[in-house]
Amino acid sequence: MPIRDLTDGDDLRLNEVFADADTPAAHMARSLFRPSSDSPLLRSVIAEVVPEVPVGAAAIAESPLHPYRAWVNVEVASEEQGHGQGRELFEAACAETVGTALEGLDLRARVQAGSPGEGFAKALGFTPLTTTRVIKVAAGALPPSGGGRAEDLEIVATGSVKLTKAFLAWYTAVNKDDAVGPLTIGQVNNAFLSEAAGAHGAALLNGDAGAAEDAGLSAFAVSYAREADQSGVEITDAMPAPGDDEEAPTELIIGSMFETREEAADTSSDLFRAAIADAELLLARLSVDADVVLEVTSGMPVVAALADRLLELGQATELYRYETLTGPPADAR
């Protein structure tokens, strides 16, 4: 099968042969199908049956926030699947990484749970790394709580140094399975808390569930403007892309500082239960007047436990479930 470097205009041709992306993660992964470049570092290839009639593409790209693995995405037109083109494209993209900083890195792919893409990745030898759920809480679904704790709640600017330091500690802790690289306060702010990232508002909640070094901070929340352009945000970032609804729900990140503690895996302690209550308090207050969407990963024990309970009680609905899988380095193929 003829395979060549992906060039300008090929993304539009691919859009004509691929079905519409049916999840935000698929849409963002497809954005990797652009010409190879050195900054950001990306290698991409495309397969054609005849010139200008593509059947699939593959790309491998650096992951600045999680630099120990590289993103990989492979997609083949539905009518051509099952004939080996995907594996050929994958191997061709791997070959293109030789001699670059991508060579030798483990690979990472995010796919919809239970999809053919998950089966394809596992057939290539990829194994599960993390599970991500995107859940929606309807406006007013949670009863207002914590009425006597107004003094514990602080509304802050998204550029707050306290918030940024807390976000860095939390983000590092909940991504132990896909380690974060060395990050500065400025990098964290630019990636998650800046106007360019769509950060719109933030709140801090004091309580007993945080680590001692957090000076009483138990949880934080960051909301993202519905109209935000997130095209520059890395697809690992915990920010679900807006859906196609006429009025998209508010996107929210809730971080529990309990998740930074060494005993975060202990789900039987009073502090763990207090951490869940604090996260719920923030969610309840921020979803009074607007639908809210949050992304929950398997590395977030507190928020995951809260999500489980809300789903069980019918106070939330699951919109998407993704599996992030990891495979050996491209040069090990």
Side-chain angles (χ1 to χ4, degrees), residues 225-296:
R226 296 171 181 172
E227 69 274 12
D229 176 7
Q230 298 176 12
S231 59
V233 178
E234 186 182 357
I235 61 178
T236 49
D237 294 353
M239 289 168 52
D244 295 327
D245 295 339
E246 184 175 333
E247 186 172 355
T250 296
E251 299 161 22
L252 197 65
I253 290 177
I254 292 183
S256 169
M257 300 312 292
F258 182 86
E259 293 168 338
T260 69
R261 299 172 67 112
E262 291 184 4
E263 66 269 34
D266 180 7
T267 61
S268 62
S269 68
D270 289 340
L271 278 181
F272 183 79
R273 288 186 285 273
I276 295 175
D278 285 350
E280 184 173 6
L281 187 156
L282 273 179
L283 180 58
R285 290 190 172 184
L286 296 172
S287 60
V288 170
D289 300 316
D291 294 351
V292 166
V293 167
L294 16 154
E295 187 171 287
V296 184

Side-chain angles (χ1 to χ4, degrees), residues 85-227:
Q85 286 96 329
R87 184 177 290 272
E88 286 187 54
L89 280 163
F90 174 69
E91 292 173 349
C94 289
E96 290 295 316
T97 69
V98 174
T100 74
L102 295 171
E103 184 179 5
L105 290 180
D106 285 352
L107 300 177
R108 179 203 306 104
R110 178 182 272 192
V111 295
Q112 187 172 8
S115 68
E118 181 180 5
F120 172 67
K122 288 182 175 179
L124 292 175
F126 282 64
T127 57
L129 184 64
T130 59
T131 299
T132 300
R133 293 175 292 169
V134 179
I135 70 167
K136 178 180 178 180
V137 179
L142 298 182
S145 59
R149 295 183 58 191
E151 71 281 1
D152 291 333
L153 185 69
E154 180 183 3
I155 305 301
V156 298
T158 57
S160 158
V161 173
K162 183 177 181 180
L163 170 66
T164 307
K165 288 182 176 180
F167 197 108
L168 173 57
W170 169 80
Y171 190 76
T172 301
V174 300
N175 283 285
K176 288 187 177 70
D177 290 337
D178 191 15
V180 176
L183 295 176
T184 67
I185 294 297
Q187 287 173 315
V188 171
N189 187 270
N190 288 336
F192 298 101
L193 303 173
S194 65
E195 183 178 349
H200 182 68
L204 306 177
L205 182 69
N206 290 326
D208 297 329
E213 58 268 25
D214 297 324
L217 179 62
S218 175
F220 64 82
V222 182
S223 65
Y224 292 85
R226 296 171 181 172
E227 69 274 12

